[in-house]
Amino acid sequence: MTDTNIGNGFVPSGQLQLGIFFQGVNSGTVWKSPESGSQTDFESFRRIAQTAERGLFAAFFLGEGLRLREHLGRPHALDVVGRPDAQTMLAALASVTTRIGLVATQNTTYNDPADLAHRLSSLDLLSGGRAAWNVVTTDNAWTGANFRRGGYLDHADRYVHAEAFVNTAKRIWDSWEAGAIAETPAAPAWAAPGSARPVHHEGKHYTVDYVPRLPRSAQYRPVLFQAGDSPEGRDFAARQADVIFSAHPKLDDALDFRRNIVERTVKAGRGANDVKIMPASEFILAATPQEALEKKRWVRSLQIGPEQAIAYLEQFWGRELQGFDPDGPLPDIDPVVEETSETRGSGFHGAKAKQLADQWRAEAKDKGLSIRQFVSARTSRGDSSFTGSYTEVADRLAEYARTGAVDGFNISPWLIPTGLDDIVNHLVPALQERGVYPTEYAGNTLRENLGLATPARQADSRQDTAARNTVGDTAVGLEV
């Protein structure tokens, strides 16, 4: 029996939230189907964002790609390539939505804190307090080649740099006092004198001497998402994040992850319930379990066709495999290198290709799998997929709510722009019937709708010694 006790004062809310993760660049989105829409036209984004809002989704989440995906050193031609600039698209979506949160994935390595904080503040104000920042880091020179900085950031420093960056952004958002802006034409000045305080930061990678230009939004400042799963990433999230975009959707694994995050969050001096957890998930649903399984087989056949199956193996073999039959056995030739490179897919960087090839050939032979069958099984998203009837999946999700394993799910739709329709039309009502999903938005801001408290203003330099020691940068803080 699963141990559902989490401890450290954590109290399950008994509720779930849903978000949509619009990936853009990925191999999971079906584009070889008459129902498939554009990955770049605004109409696709509008359609799916408004569907999500109709289903009371908490957030619309955009991924980020700083360099075109490559395959064997060439642009990868088989997968979806989209993702217009996140903040540009979210600002447009703010005008056609009213409640759903707008989450922009933005990189700390290839942005500057004052500029990014200002742009996120702008989105937060324009949307009425619905903006969020998914904080990501990059350290490889392959991505850095697109930027003047190159790949200057050591892997070990990525969270040190990110934490200094986030702390600086928070100081910028904290710098305007509440009620600083005049509420009546009779006021002597538009902004109270001294209401915008300068922010200084001197660190290894940048220096900031900045007077913030925008007042607080309706939700005080943007909500922070974070997705790092290494020990350093989890500690960073425990100190800084409001929401973790996790990779742990299976119930037992999700409970273990929750316990670990609660322990780290409490150790960081925060409350046991202060950090929400929303794992990435794929939903394939139908009226009956059998129909859902048939639908899943159809989806997988479109996600992994013959060309995709061969290309998947080429990432590990490091060579052309077009001469091999996708419905035949795995290649009997060996990979050309022991370790993969960035151009063979960042998810496989550092993998021992020869060792994996031997292991996979033995496994495929033992199970009688062809190349296409083997790749389909490997990429089936079994760890993150919920497949079944609407009532069946609703019952499963109710158990997540009861135990507090997660606070919700970030859904990666396999079809754009209609991929949320069955979830909103059928799954959401089933969850509402079970009392585990909201029947209306809690408020107007993302922070309200996620059940997050208004943050306290970050301490100034005289009280911030512990934070400086943590991030390894000189964090001068706010002048007073």
Side-chain angles (χ1 to χ4, degrees), residues 72-266:
L72 300 182
R74 303 186 299 272
H76 192 42
L78 295 175
D79 291 351
V80 164
V81 177
R83 289 196 296 212
D85 173 69
Q87 290 189 64
T88 302
M89 179 57 71
L90 293 176
L93 290 176
S95 69
V96 295
T97 58
T98 59
R99 298 292 185 88
I100 193 168
L102 305 166
V103 189
T105 300
Q106 299 287 275
N107 199 296
T108 57
T109 307
Y110 302 115
N111 279 290
D112 291 302
D115 176 63
L116 181 58
H118 178 73
R119 288 187 283 119
L120 288 168
S121 288
S122 298
L123 179 62
D124 211 19
L125 285 166
L126 290 173
S127 64
R130 294 187 284 137
W133 171 22
N134 178 40
V135 183
V136 296
T137 66
T138 302
D139 55 38
N140 64 73
W142 178 73
T143 300
N146 276 359
F147 299 87
R148 176 174 54 83
R149 299 181 182 88
Y152 77 97
L153 187 62
D154 289 338
H155 185 74
D157 289 341
R158 68 195 190 285
Y159 282 118
V160 172
H161 174 273
E163 195 143 16
F165 191 115
V166 171
N167 277 334
T168 301
K170 284 182 175 180
R171 292 187 182 93
I172 290 171
W173 295 327
D174 288 345
S175 64
W176 281 66
E177 295 291 352
I181 304 302
E183 297 180 355
T184 170
W190 180 78
S195 56
R197 295 179 291 188
V199 175
H200 301 291
H201 172 91
E202 295 178 9
K204 178 180 178 181
H205 299 106
Y206 51 80
T207 298
V208 173
D209 188 0
Y210 179 70
V211 179
R213 293 171 281 167
L214 291 173
R216 298 177 187 175
S217 74
Q219 68 170 353
Y220 186 93
R221 67 185 184 211
V223 171
L224 296 186
F225 284 65
Q226 203 270 337
D229 199 29
S230 66
E232 297 85 358
R234 294 186 185 196
D235 281 338
F236 175 79
R239 290 190 296 267
Q240 299 286 1
D242 299 302
V243 184
I244 295 179
F245 182 23
S246 87
H248 302 275
K250 283 191 171 181
L251 183 59
D252 288 351
D253 192 23
L255 284 165
D256 288 340
F257 184 75
R258 169 72 83 180
R259 292 186 193 98
N260 186 261
I261 292 301
V262 167
E263 181 180 344
R264 292 172 189 264
T265 302
V266 171

Side-chain angles (χ1 to χ4, degrees), residues 10-30:
F10 175 79
V11 179
S13 69
Q15 293 287 299
L16 295 176
Q17 300 274 5
L18 294 178
I20 171 179
F21 179 39
F22 195 116
Q23 298 182 79
V25 178
N26 70 100
S27 60
T29 301
V30 171

